[in-house]
Amino acid sequence: MEIALFILFVAVVFVIKAVKVVPQQNSWVVERLGRFHAALAPGLNIVVPFVDRIAYRHMLKEVPLDVPSQICITKDNTQLQVDGVLYFQVTDPKLASYGTSDYVMAITQLAQTTLRSAIGKMELDKTFEEREHINTAVVAALDEAASSWGVKVLRYEIKDLTPPKEILHAMQAQITAEREKRALIAASEGRKQEQINIATGEREAFIQRSEGEKQSAINNAQGEAEAIKAVADATAQAIRKVAEAIESPGGMNAVNLKVAEKYVDAFANVAKQGTTLILPNNMADMGSMIAAAMTVIKGQK
């Protein structure tokens, strides 16, 4: 009875030692008598008890690794505190087990040294602008080295770039000065544009006024020309009417009478307008004066 129980116990222990269930996204490295034998895939696996042993257990998921903060020196000799996070994945369980004693520490140390080298090639201002370039450089260097460790480096991201307080204050002052400079430039550009707009408006207004004055002068000249033309036409018409009246029967007698009336009226006005009166020496011979006036009229005719 005791032998049977012992055999049953040994059988249970043997089964427990022989059957291995590997979880999904995991890989277990088996050594047989101290040498690498196999990498167990996820699921049910059978090993030889007391001969095979599970030496390493690897998770095949993507793993985030926090890279400790460190002080880096930029190209312009400025200290910069940098920390980041690294994402990697085990792709070869055998190399991850035997390629290095501790691939996590190896990746961390290599990430720090690569980061220091990348930042040392840049000036302080460029480090804030070239984060993507720094991340790419670190990933390229790590992926090349980690391939012999059975690890694939997927990406690296810088979390913080912290300069010393003095540099930070100087950068803040520089940013403030730059913003004030841009504000002054914008204000001066606004004033310049305002002066340009005012000058343009005044020029256009002057042009419009001059055009208006020009058109007004043209209109006035045309009006005066039309008025002169109308007066000339009216005068010519009156002269033609007078000429026709003179040519009609009795016209010459009417002219004699009109000349005599104008002659008398002229002397009457001379007597009214002044205290001195000048008379022709032949005033009594009115008929001869009228005859002389008629001679002139006929000559004009």
Side-chain angles (χ1 to χ4, degrees), residues 122-188:
M122 299 181 182
E123 295 182 354
L124 178 63
D125 294 338
K126 288 294 184 181
T127 57
F128 296 97
E129 302 173 4
E130 300 292 339
R131 282 196 178 196
E132 189 66 27
H133 176 73
I134 296 173
N135 296 338
T136 303
V138 172
V139 170
L142 288 176
D143 192 47
E144 181 180 359
S147 59
S148 60
W149 303 334
V151 176
K152 174 69 175 177
V153 178
L154 302 176
R155 57 188 179 276
Y156 178 82
E157 297 292 339
I158 295 177
K159 292 195 296 184
D160 289 316
L161 291 171
T162 308
K165 292 182 179 180
E166 296 79 7
I167 301 298
L168 192 60
H169 291 162
M171 292 174 62
Q172 187 64 39
Q174 181 181 3
I175 293 173
T176 303
E178 186 66 25
R179 289 179 178 175
E180 292 177 352
K181 175 183 175 182
R182 290 199 297 265
L184 291 175
I185 293 174
S188 64

Side-chain angles (χ1 to χ4, degrees), residues 8 31 48 64 68 85 90-91 97 102 116 124 133-134 192 217 219 224 235 240 242 244 251 275 279 288 293:
L8 180 60
E31 291 181 350
V48 178
V85 58
V90 175
T91 56
S97 301
D102 189 345
R116 286 196 298 268
L124 178 63
H133 176 73
I134 296 173
K192 175 183 175 182
N219 294 339
E224 292 176 357
T235 303
R240 283 194 295 270
V242 171
E244 291 175 359
T275 58
L279 297 176
S288 62

Side-chain angles (χ1 to χ4, degrees), residues 182-232:
R182 290 199 297 265
L184 291 175
I185 293 174
S188 64
E189 288 293 336
R191 289 193 295 270
K192 175 183 175 182
Q193 190 62 42
E194 179 185 5
Q195 295 298 324
I196 292 174
N197 293 339
I198 292 174
T200 303
E202 291 178 351
R203 183 186 66 181
E204 293 180 355
F206 179 78
I207 293 173
Q208 293 296 330
R209 285 196 299 269
S210 64
E211 290 291 337
E213 292 173 356
K214 174 183 175 182
Q215 190 62 42
S216 176
I218 292 173
N219 294 339
N220 291 334
Q222 291 177 349
E224 292 176 357
E226 293 293 333
I228 293 172
K229 183 179 178 181
V231 170

Side-chain angles (χ1 to χ4, degrees), residues 41-64:
L44 183 64
N45 295 271
I46 303 298
V47 298
V48 178
F50 307 109
V51 176
D52 297 338
R53 73 180 186 91
I54 306 298
Y56 302 97
R57 302 171 186 261
H58 298 289
M59 184 173 61
L60 304 182
K61 297 179 182 180
E62 182 177 342
V63 180

